[in-house]
Each structure stands twice: as C-alpha cells, then as structure tokens.
Amino acid sequence: MSRPATAVTPPPGVSPVREAAAESVEAVLATVGSSAAGLSGAEAASRLERFGPNAVRGHRARPWRVLGRQVRSPILVLLFATAAVSAVVGERAEALIIGVILLVSIGLGFVNEFRAERAADALHDRLRHTVVAVRDGVRRSVDVTELVRGDLVALAVGTVVPADLRLIETSGLECDESIVTGEAASVAKSVEPVEHSAGIGDLASCALMGTVVHAGTGTGAVVATAGETEFGRIAVGLGVQNPQTEFQRGLGRFSVFLLVVALILSSVIFVAALLLGRPVIESLLFSLAIAVGITPQLLPAVVSTSLAAGSRALARRRVLVKRMVCIEDLGDLDLLVTDKTGTLTTGRIAFDRAVPVGGVPADELLLLALLATDADPVAVRASGRDAAGLTPLDAALLGAPGAAEAPVGAYRRLAVRPFDHERRRCTALAAAAGSEPIVVVKGAPESVLPLCTAAGDAVAAELAELYATGARVVAVASRPAPGLTQLDDSAEEGLAIRGFLVFADAVRPDAAASLARLTALGVEMKIATGDSATVAERVCDQLGMARRGTLTGDEVDALDDRALIDAARAASIFARVSPEQKARIVRALRRKGRAVGFLGDGVNDALALHRADVGISVDSAVDVAKDAADVLLLEKDLDVLADGVTEGRRIFANTIKYVLMGTSSNFGNMFSASVASVVLPFLPMLPGQILLNNLLYDSSQLAIPTDHVDAEQLRAPAHWDIPAIRRFMLLFGPISSLFDFATFALMLFALNAAPPEFRSGWFIESIATQTLIVFAVRTRRVPFLRSRPSRPLVLSVLAVVAIGAWLPYSPLAGVLGFTPLPAVFVLALAAMVVAYLVLVEVAKIWYYARLSRPPELPQRVRAYPHRVARRASRFTARSPRSR
C-alpha cells in the first residue's frame, strides 16, 4: 500500500472545515494527505508527534492553578489586607499570627484539593474515549485524542463526533449540532459540497467536533483537530471553565454575607474609637482584628478537607466524581429520574420469542426483522465483528435461535432509514433476486401499528397481553413495493402487521433494595423510559415502587410548560418519551427548586443528563451519556448512589456545623469586644490577642470533617439558607455576649481586675465558650448522651481549651500581654461556662421548634457553558505519566 501524500496545512486564520465543506471529496482527501484506505499507522504517529493531541485542554493537576483557587475567597482577601496593614504599621506580631492563619487555611485547602485532583487524574486516565478509524485499510479503535488530520472516522448513532470531519460517505446521517450552533433540530448530512459562503449551521457536507450523531451512519475525513475545530474555538474561548454548582454559589453568598457584616462592624468600631479620641493606629488595628475575628477563616480548608475525604471514599467504591463539589450536589438531591434499561434492569437484552400475526411463519417473521436492522447483518457476519454496529435489540436478534440460518444473504438492501429515537423505528427496502422489492418496518408498536392497515382488535389484544407480562415488544410490518428505489415517509404507508418480537430484560436483583435505601434518604424516584407504559408499570411493581400516575410522550407534548410542571410532579412514570421530552420533563421538575438527578446510559438520555442538577451514568454507557454525566459509576451498582447521597449530606452537615458555630460565637465575642471598646477606658483585648484567640479556636475545628452525623440529618437534603444562618447568629450571638458581659462584671466589680487581668480572664472565657459550643451545635439531640462526637473532634476542642487556659500562666504570658489569675476566678469562670452551655442547649431546642423553617429554593437554571465544559472533557489530553 502506498504511503499517503503529505497533508497540506491550511493558511492561518482560515477555518479548515469551512474550506473543506466547499471542496469535493477527492480534493479534500488530497489536501489532508489521505486516501480511501486511511492513513498508515506510522504516518498517523508521525503527525501526532508533529501536531500534538486532539485535545482542547490538558488534564493534569497544576499546583499553581490549585493555589490560585485557594486565594479567591473573600474571607482570605480580608485576611491578606489585615496582614498587610499590620505589617505596614509595624505590628509584626499581629501580621505573623494572621500569616499563620493564612498558611494553615491555604495550605490545608491546597494539599487536599491537589491530592483530590491527582486522584481524579488517575481515574480520568482509566476512562478511554475511543472512535472507530480506518488505518492501514483496517477499521480499528483509536483514542479520540490520538486522531490526526487525514484520519478516516466511522460514525454511527450516538457517536460524539471526535474532530471536524469532511464527510465522504453517508446513509441517512443526521447530527445534533446544538453544542456548536445552538439550534435544537438535528441536521441532515450529505457528501455534496456547499457554497463557500455557507455559515457554520449550513455545513451539510461536514460533521463538527462535539456534535452527536442523531441518526444514520457515515464516514468522514479529519480536516481539523483540537483548537482548530469550531467546537475547540468555542471551548478555548470560554476557557472551558466549569460553571459553579449550587453548593459553590451558596458558599459564595455566605462568604459575601460575612464580609459585609465584618466590614460594617469594623467600620462602626473604627469611627467610634476616633470620636472617643483613641489613637488612629490602635483603633485601626483593633477594628481590623474585629473584622478578622468575626469571619471563619478556615472555612475553605474545612470544605476542601471534607470534599477530598468524600471523593476518596467514593473512589474506593469505584465512583468517579468529575469535580469534588459535585459530591455536595449529589447530597442535595431530593428527586432522581432514572432510565429503566440498564439501570433498573440488567440491560442485557435477550431475544425471547417471535409472535407471528395472521398466519405468518415464525421463520419468515425473523427474516423480515433481520432485514430491517441499522447495519446489514450480512456485512456484519462477513466482517467477523459479531454484533458490532448494531443496537442492543438488533444484536440480540442477530443471536436469536434460527437467525444464523435465516436467508438474509438472498436479499439485497436497496435503502435504509436507520432507527432514531423520534421515529422509534427502522425501515429497509430490500429485494431478493428476481423478485420485486419489499418495505420492512421494525420498531416500537406505537410507532408501527398506526402505519398498518386493518391491524384489528385481535392484534391490539395480543399486544396488550404481551405488555402485561412486562416484556419488551417490537413490531414488524411490511408491504410489497414494486418499482420503489428510495425511502421516504410515503414508503411507510399501507403496511401489513406481520408479528411481534418479544425480548426479555430482567430487573436487577439489587435494584429494589437500592431504591428503597434512596427512598429512605428522602430521594423521590421517577422513571423515564422509551418503553411502553405497561412495561414501565410492570417494572415498578416488580421493584416495589409506588405508582402515582403515568405520562406518555404524547401527553407531554400536549401540555404547555406551566401545565407540565404540575403534571410531572404528580406522575411517577414517563413512558414512550423521546430524548427532548425527557429533557423537558427534567427542566420542569427543576422549576420548583427541586434538586433533580438523572440516571441514564443511552443516547436518548444525553439531553436529560445535561439538564439535570446532577447527571449520573455508568462506565458501560454510550459516549455521549458519559460525557454528559457529572458522576460516573464504574460498576453498575445502584447502591453506590445511596452512598454518594449520604456522603454529600454528611459533608454538608459538617460544613454547616462550622458555619453555625463560627457565625454565632464569633459574632457574639466580637460584638462584646466592640461594646467594651467603647465603654471601657482600655481595649478589652489587644489585636494580637484577638487574632491568637481566633487561631486557637479555628485550629480546634479542623477535626469537624471527621465528625459523626446524626441519622436524621441524612434523611433529607439540606441547602444553603442565609436567612436561617442570620437568625441563628442573632439568637446565639447575644447569648455569647451575655456571658461575656457577665465575665466583664465579675472581673471589674468582684476582682477589680487591671487591664492585663481583664484581658487574660476574658481570653480564657472566650476560648472556652467559643470552642465548646460545637458540642451543642453539631446535633439537634442531647450532646454526648444521644449523639457522640468523633474522638478527633473531642480531643482537638479539649486541647485548645487547655492551651487557652494555660497561656496566662505560661512563659509566653508576658510577650502576649497576659497575667496569671486567682484560683477563685478560674472556678467562677468554669461555672459560667457550664451555665452558658446549658442556656445554649435550651435556646437550641427553642430555635429548632420555632425559628427553623425550610428555605425558599429558587428556580434552577443551566448555562450554555455547562454543556460545553462537559463535552470538552472528552477532548482532554491524558496525564503524561499514564501514557
């Protein structure tokens, strides 16, 4: 075989695919240096070495990028500003303490996120996105990132087009190009050149990278890869940044809320100090210390630590979470819409039996069915590829008893309209030697029977009886077609029903227990399937799922968006729904603030996976479904979903523990300091002491990610609720301040304490109340008796309280501005701390009984970059260490 000519590189700035679209097939093959036999393996390797991988981005954990994400928090920006001011005015001790806080927060966040990204790299490298390419005249599986200009690529239904292709062969080929053009309707393709002035949506002779084959088959020559493709330009232009999740948006709103509170409080203190004639530098440092003290500086570290631990736990269960924050959204789920085939059922379609109608012999019915397959069964057998290129149903049909003996070789297929998920049928025009052609249609009974004449009540009764058994049924019809050479809609009219094919798809043995566990977690279950309502209802009964109503695809189309919202909420089964209808149902369910997950593994599930808050698929899914998913199950074990939901809720619960205790105790202590700074003739605590207090307190909370979570906190999803956090802060903050003021009175009036003693006493009381409150806040139950904290949390809290109480008596006391306290004062402080914790427990009971209420959830939306970012993950260079 001769070596192809060297590829011609297009001029800079010219879109290669637009140039190729206007050229003939022969001219394009010459331009890209290829032939009908494709490239040789050596030439492909040479071009890959010269021009690089077919990737729009790299997939490797980059330390500087991870570090950059750590410093974007508004809380950390405030710390940076405070440290800079402290250093400028010469307060090096304060600057050093803030620097330690920054290092701990950023360091922990960086280490955890970098480790998680490295783990994600390893999992990503295990996922191979491949495509069938022609090299050395032979079809072979090639990694999409290893495609080069000049490769010939085979396309079939569900294929994600791996590069910009100039089509050289087509058979009923249609592509969904919405990822590039924004147009929802699929586009018919051909090999005929188009005008040079054609727009991106009019390149009928090309298939664009990132688009999806909606129907038919084809072959195309690669004319552009990576960033030279139309999709690559979009992805690079958007930076392929993943849009924020609901959890990230909530965390951002909370950080801004705290920043506003800190700035208001510190500004008021600074102005009040100036009006009282206090020194400017001292007033500035104190007000900045108050601002720092009210913010939970280690929140980013606590969140990243929790997420990293969660991602590792799920990885051990062979679950790939594409982004760590998706774990939080997984825990947020309160509704799961799932496809039936391959998720609730085994997905292993097996041919059961043929049911002829009207005296047609069973072997003739099987022959007709074999003629109406997407791929020619004769060609499949001749190539030795078994069932490759066939749908699961056609593959099962090819392996049916008697299929090997069926005389399909005696027929020549003149034309084929491949199966697609809108028509739900495949049509073939075939002719035996010396005979007139016949039209054969095979597909969903609801799509085929309306095309038949005189189907009769007996046929309907036969079909209903088959459906009642829970079987999956395919109808076969045909008619003579003398003189017909092409297929169109009119060719499918006037058919005669020949019979039904029955396929078995057993319910997964573990599905019922897994769904029951998800239901116990407050996740409502709904089924969306292309099968009939009877089959779906039968599966529900076998799984023990409650059935409240069924909507068919036709009924969905008859409803406007507003009516569909209520109808979708009421129904538990959506039957005979198309891909667009599935996506519309998911969007309707999300309108009321529901956190919707969609579980599917087929071509017809991709749109719904994109629409869902969390798209979930399996490793054996088709490429387009895996691309659309946020969470990928490397094993088909639905029980892992329950693990993921539980892990997400556990992480969120522990994050909220830190948030609630931080906002309440921090706010109370800093409010007390603010009032005392105005009333007292001296500062109640030096800026460095406030920062040291905060450093010790935050250190005690680093163990929160290890804490246990009560079962009732896992039974329903929790959401970011800024009003609820504000109510919690305004109730428990004043309680903390009340005991602070009692401490002030004790030191001033009972002990007549000097400023150093005052500061030492309040430092001890502040540390004790601020850290010990975690045991009350962490649970709605009675602490220790009905809900036990984790051992690391107990040890870290007690250690910090002990250090805080020791500092006034330590060798560092003089440097820190402390002085030892009388024993009687220490005993009085201990009694006050106990009284404080009792009052907090009483207030907690009242809060959850009166003030706690579910948040109002906004309508959820998905931005266009979301789909681009997901699709771009397919065209990602693998980590060098895995090559």
Side-chain angles (χ1 to χ4, degrees):
M1 184 173 58
S2 61
R3 182 185 178 91
T6 304
V8 178
T9 304
V14 177
S15 173
V17 72
R18 296 182 192 231
E19 288 288 311
E23 301 292 336
S24 66
V25 170
E26 294 76 13
V28 169
L29 288 176
T31 300
V32 298
S34 188
S35 68
L39 300 177
S40 67
E43 176 64 17
S46 173
R47 294 187 184 187
L48 181 64
E49 182 69 25
R50 289 204 312 271
F51 302 114
N54 177 35
V56 298
R57 65 179 181 183
H59 194 287
R60 183 173 62 183
R62 299 184 182 277
W64 291 111
R65 289 184 181 178
V66 175
L67 186 61
R69 289 195 292 270
Q70 300 304 310
V71 299
R72 292 176 187 169
S73 167
I75 295 173
L76 296 183
V77 171
L78 176 62
L79 287 176
F80 273 119
T82 306
V85 172
S86 299
V88 168
V89 299
E91 296 294 336
R92 295 181 180 177
E94 284 80 354
L96 180 61
I97 293 173
I98 298 175
V100 171
I101 296 173
L102 281 169
L103 284 176
V104 171
S105 180
I106 295 174
L108 282 174
F110 171 80
V111 169
N112 280 299
E113 187 170 343
F114 188 66
R115 285 180 61 195
E117 285 211 1
R118 291 285 295 272
D121 282 353
L123 285 172
H124 177 274
D125 291 341
R126 290 166 57 185
L127 297 175
R128 298 293 305 276
H129 298 289
T130 60
V131 70
V132 176
V134 180
R135 288 187 178 172
D136 296 314
V138 178
R139 292 193 173 199
R140 62 180 64 175
S141 180
V142 176
D143 193 296
V144 295
T145 62
E146 295 178 0
L147 285 177
V148 295
R149 198 159 176 260
D151 266 323
L152 300 189
V153 176
L155 303 176
V157 174
T159 301
V160 177
V161 180
D164 280 355
L165 309 178
R166 173 58 166 93
L167 297 170
I168 59 177
E169 292 178 5
T170 62
S171 176
L173 185 66
E174 296 181 12
C175 292
D176 173 2
E177 297 185 338
S178 57
I179 196 74
V180 174
T181 66
E183 296 295 330
S186 58
V187 180
K189 298 293 182 178
S190 70
V191 299
E192 298 302 320
V194 300
E195 296 293 332
H196 277 89
S197 59
I200 189 62
D202 300 317
L203 303 182
S205 60
C206 294
L208 305 177
M209 176 194 248
T211 63
V212 181
V213 177
H214 183 79
T217 59
T219 303
V222 176
V223 295
T225 61
E228 288 187 334
T229 64
E230 296 295 328
F231 174 78
R233 295 181 185 192
I234 295 172
V236 171
L238 292 173
V240 290
Q241 291 288 336
N242 287 297
Q244 286 190 324
T245 65
E246 289 296 320
F247 173 75
Q248 287 175 311
R249 283 191 283 269
L251 190 62
R253 290 193 298 269
F254 171 69
S255 297
V256 171
F257 162 70
L258 275 187
L259 193 60
V260 170
V261 172
L263 291 176
I264 291 175
L265 189 57
S266 59
S267 298
V268 170
I269 293 170
F270 182 64
V271 172
L274 293 180
L275 293 176
L276 292 172
R278 304 279 171 80
V280 174
I281 297 301
E282 180 184 274
S283 302
L284 177 62
L285 290 174
F286 184 75
S287 62
L288 287 175
I290 292 294
V292 171
I294 204 172
T295 56
Q297 297 90 0
L298 294 188
L299 179 60
V302 169
V303 170
S304 62
T305 300
S306 298
L307 290 175
S311 66
R312 290 193 294 271
L314 291 178
R316 287 193 292 271
R317 294 298 307 271
R318 294 181 57 76
V319 179
L320 170 59
V321 180
K322 292 184 178 178
R323 291 193 294 155
M324 283 199 302
V325 289
C326 292
I327 300 175
E328 290 281 5
D329 278 352
L330 194 58
D332 194 32
L333 286 187
D334 57 8
L335 193 155
L336 178 65
V337 182
T338 176
D339 184 34
K340 177 180 66 66
T341 305
T343 50
L344 300 180
T345 61
T346 61
R348 293 188 292 272
I349 306 296
F351 179 78
D352 185 15
R353 65 189 186 278
V355 181
V357 171
V360 175
D363 57 351
E364 181 180 339
L365 176 61
L366 184 60
L367 170 63
L368 291 172
L370 287 168
L371 292 175
T373 55
D374 282 1
D376 188 345
V378 175
V380 171
R381 289 172 180 168
S383 67
R385 292 184 288 121
D386 298 324
L390 297 175
T391 66
L393 282 173
D394 285 346
L397 184 63
L398 195 65
E405 292 77 32
V408 289
Y411 286 79
R412 184 167 58 94
R413 300 207 312 175
L414 306 177
V416 177
R417 294 186 75 181
F419 176 88
D420 66 62
H421 293 283
E422 290 182 358
R423 297 173 64 249
R424 295 200 293 267
R425 60 183 181 267
C426 175
T427 304
L429 178 66
S435 301
E436 293 289 346
I438 59 172
V439 171
V440 184
V441 178
K442 174 170 64 70
E446 289 80 359
S447 296
V448 175
L449 289 179
L451 306 175
C452 298
T453 58
D457 294 337
V459 172
E462 180 75 38
L463 179 61
E465 185 176 337
L466 292 174
Y467 275 153
T469 66
R472 189 166 186 178
V473 183
V474 172
V476 180
S478 68
R479 73 170 178 88
L484 192 66
T485 58
Q486 297 294 330
L487 289 174
D488 54 23
D489 289 344
S490 63
E492 298 176 341
E493 297 173 353
L495 300 171
I497 184 69
R498 302 303 184 187
F500 301 106
L501 306 175
V502 182
F503 296 84
D505 184 11
V507 170
R508 291 178 60 88
D510 57 348
S514 301
L515 294 181
R517 186 179 168 199
L518 284 166
T519 301
L521 289 170
V523 180
E524 183 182 353
M525 305 296 301
K526 296 179 185 288
I527 291 179
T529 178
D531 274 347
S532 70
T534 308
V535 172
E537 289 166 358
R538 174 80 173 182
V539 170
C540 280
D541 293 339
Q542 290 175 313
L543 292 172
M545 290 178 61
R547 289 198 281 117
R548 295 192 309 276
T550 301
L551 273 181
T552 64
D554 292 339
E555 290 169 337
V556 169
D557 281 340
L559 298 172
D560 60 26
D561 288 345
R562 185 179 297 275
L564 181 59
I565 292 174
D566 295 328
R569 292 179 67 185
S572 56
I573 296 174
F574 308 101
R576 288 299 187 204
V577 285
S578 68
E580 291 77 12
Q581 289 165 344
K582 287 184 181 182
R584 189 171 169 230
I585 289 165
V586 169
R587 183 175 59 189
L589 292 169
R590 296 175 71 236
R591 288 284 177 90
K592 293 292 185 179
R594 300 297 296 269
V596 180
F598 188 89
L599 172 60
D601 62 355
V603 176
N604 57 332
D605 299 320
L607 287 177
L609 286 165
H610 275 299
R611 291 285 188 189
D613 291 292
V614 182
I616 308 162
S617 193
V618 294
D619 189 32
S620 58
V622 299
D623 287 347
V624 68
K626 288 193 289 187
D627 282 347
D630 297 297
V631 177
L632 202 60
L633 311 182
L634 300 183
E635 292 181 356
K636 277 192 175 181
D637 182 2
L638 291 181
D639 203 44
V640 173
L641 274 184
D643 291 338
V645 171
T646 302
E647 189 65 30
R649 292 181 184 176
R650 188 189 69 79
I651 291 170
F652 188 83
N654 282 336
T655 301
I656 290 298
K657 290 174 189 178
Y658 179 79
V659 166
L660 292 180
M661 66 172 294
T663 51
S664 58
S665 59
N666 283 11
F667 177 76
N669 283 348
M670 294 307 101
F671 178 76
S672 303
S674 305
V675 173
S677 68
V678 175
V679 174
L680 298 177
F682 56 87
L683 290 178
M685 202 180 290
L686 298 176
Q689 293 170 341
I690 292 176
L691 296 172
L692 178 61
N693 179 302
N694 229 44
L695 176 60
L696 290 174
Y697 154 75
D698 273 332
S699 300
S700 71
Q701 308 312 305
L702 289 175
I704 282 182
T706 70
D707 193 25
H708 307 308
V709 176
D710 297 337
E712 59 268 22
Q713 292 179 275
L714 302 176
R715 290 180 189 146
H719 310 278
W720 280 104
D721 187 359
I722 304 303
I725 295 172
R726 184 168 56 244
R727 290 193 298 270
F728 195 94
M729 181 181 75
L730 295 178
L731 173 63
F732 290 90
I735 293 175
S736 177
S737 294
L738 177 65
F739 279 85
D740 287 336
F741 295 146
T743 303
F744 297 165
L746 174 68
M747 289 185 291
L748 291 174
F749 303 118
L751 298 177
N752 197 24
E757 292 174 319
F758 183 98
R759 292 164 181 152
S760 301
W762 188 38
F763 184 88
I764 295 175
E765 184 264 350
S766 176
I767 279 288
T769 56
Q770 202 171 4
T771 53
L772 292 174
I773 192 179
V774 69
F775 297 128
V777 170
R778 60 170 297 277
T779 177
R780 297 189 181 191
R781 303 177 181 180
V782 179
F784 292 100
L785 298 180
R786 297 189 59 225
S787 177
R788 294 185 178 181
S790 67
R791 182 175 297 178
L793 182 60
V794 173
L795 294 177
S796 65
V797 168
L798 295 182
V800 164
V801 172
I803 292 172
W806 169 76
L807 282 176
Y809 304 92
S810 72
L812 300 173
V815 177
L816 298 173
F818 293 134
T819 189
L821 299 170
V824 64
F825 175 72
V826 175
L827 293 176
L829 270 184
M832 291 177 65
V833 169
V834 171
Y836 168 73
L837 294 177
V838 171
L839 183 57
V840 164
E841 192 63 28
V842 173
K844 182 182 73 175
I845 296 172
W846 184 80
Y847 172 83
Y848 286 117
R850 298 291 183 89
L851 296 183
S852 179
R853 50 184 180 267
E856 293 185 5
L857 300 178
Q859 176 178 321
R860 294 164 179 258
V861 296
R862 279 283 171 114
Y864 172 74
H866 182 88
R867 292 187 65 185
V868 175
R870 281 175 162 181
R871 188 62 51 79
S873 66
R874 162 176 294 275
F875 308 106
T876 300
R878 300 168 65 204
S879 176
R881 64 178 178 276
S882 65
R883 292 186 184 276

